[in-house]
């Protein structure tokens, strides 16, 4: 099978596009749900955090950290799938697109979903997730064909 201009076989590009479309549909359901998606979990999360604190977890391990980590994890696949779909030369755009999509989502939530909380912190966390997904693709592209990391030789 011949590789296309992006360095992927056409079948791989199709699978990546399907994965990206499925992810986008799931993301839309989560971010445009009229009420906060964690509303029913807050009591359970409080119990888990109290348990962690009883075992010595520092006080900064709190709801804010959990929410930020969830936002990072939510956008990691965006960066990963989009960067993998793009030509390796342009895969850095996945991080930029992730940040812009996040800003658009937060603006839409602020304007149209009064029960949702749109914050700049969410944009930053989502953007970080997309950037980390993009970096994972960069790491994948930088490995050698043998699966071992490439080493540079320096002239003596």
């Amino acid at each position: 099978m011949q590789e296309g201009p992006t360095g992927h076989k056409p079948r791989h590009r199709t699978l990546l596009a399907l994965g990206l479309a499925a992810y986008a549909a799931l993301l839309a359901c989560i971010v445009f749900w009229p009420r906060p998606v964690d509303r029913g979990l807050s009591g359970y999360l409080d119990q888990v955090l109290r348990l962690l604190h009883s075992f010595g977890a520092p006080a900064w391990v709190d709801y804010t950290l959990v929410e930020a980590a969830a936002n990072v994890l939510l956008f990691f696949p965006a960066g990963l799938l989009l960067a993998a779909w793009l030509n390796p030369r342009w895969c850095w755009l996945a991080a930029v697109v992730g940040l812009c999509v996040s800003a658009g989502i937060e603006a839409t939530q602020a304007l149209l979903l009064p029960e949702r909380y749109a914050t700049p912190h969410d944009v930053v966390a989502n953007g970080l997730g997309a950037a980390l997904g993009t970096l994972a693709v960069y790491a994948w592209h930088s490995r050698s064909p043998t699966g071992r990391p490439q080493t540079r030789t320096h002239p003596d």
Side-chain angles (χ1 to χ4, degrees):
M1 196 179 283
Q2 190 73 19
E3 286 189 7
T6 62
H8 300 296
K9 296 178 182 171
R11 178 176 163 88
H12 291 139
R13 275 188 60 79
T14 301
L15 289 174
L16 285 167
L18 288 172
L20 193 54
Y23 165 78
L26 177 63
L27 180 66
C29 289
I30 292 169
V31 300
F32 296 126
W33 195 258
R35 289 178 223 68
V37 293
D38 63 347
R39 179 174 278 171
L41 300 174
S42 63
Y44 174 72
L45 182 56
D46 287 340
Q47 290 176 353
V48 170
L49 289 170
R50 277 195 297 274
L51 179 66
L52 289 173
H53 292 144
S54 73
F55 285 114
W60 53 263
V61 176
D62 58 5
Y63 177 81
T64 302
L65 178 70
V66 171
E67 181 188 29
N71 282 328
V72 170
L73 290 174
L74 183 64
F75 267 71
F76 181 86
L80 185 77
L81 291 167
L82 185 56
W85 183 80
L86 290 168
N87 181 306
R89 181 177 181 195
W90 298 102
C91 71
W92 60 270
L93 282 172
V96 175
V97 168
L99 186 64
C100 291
V101 166
S102 175
I105 288 168
E106 295 298 314
T108 302
Q109 287 179 342
L111 294 171
L112 302 176
L113 301 171
E115 290 190 47
R116 297 296 300 261
Y117 305 103
T119 70
H121 294 100
D122 288 352
V123 175
V124 171
N126 294 340
L128 177 60
L132 290 172
T134 302
L135 285 173
V137 172
Y138 267 112
W140 178 262
H141 286 309
S142 70
R143 71 178 184 16
S144 71
T146 62
R148 294 187 198 126
Q150 293 178 347
T151 56
R152 295 179 186 224
T153 57
H154 297 285
D156 291 331

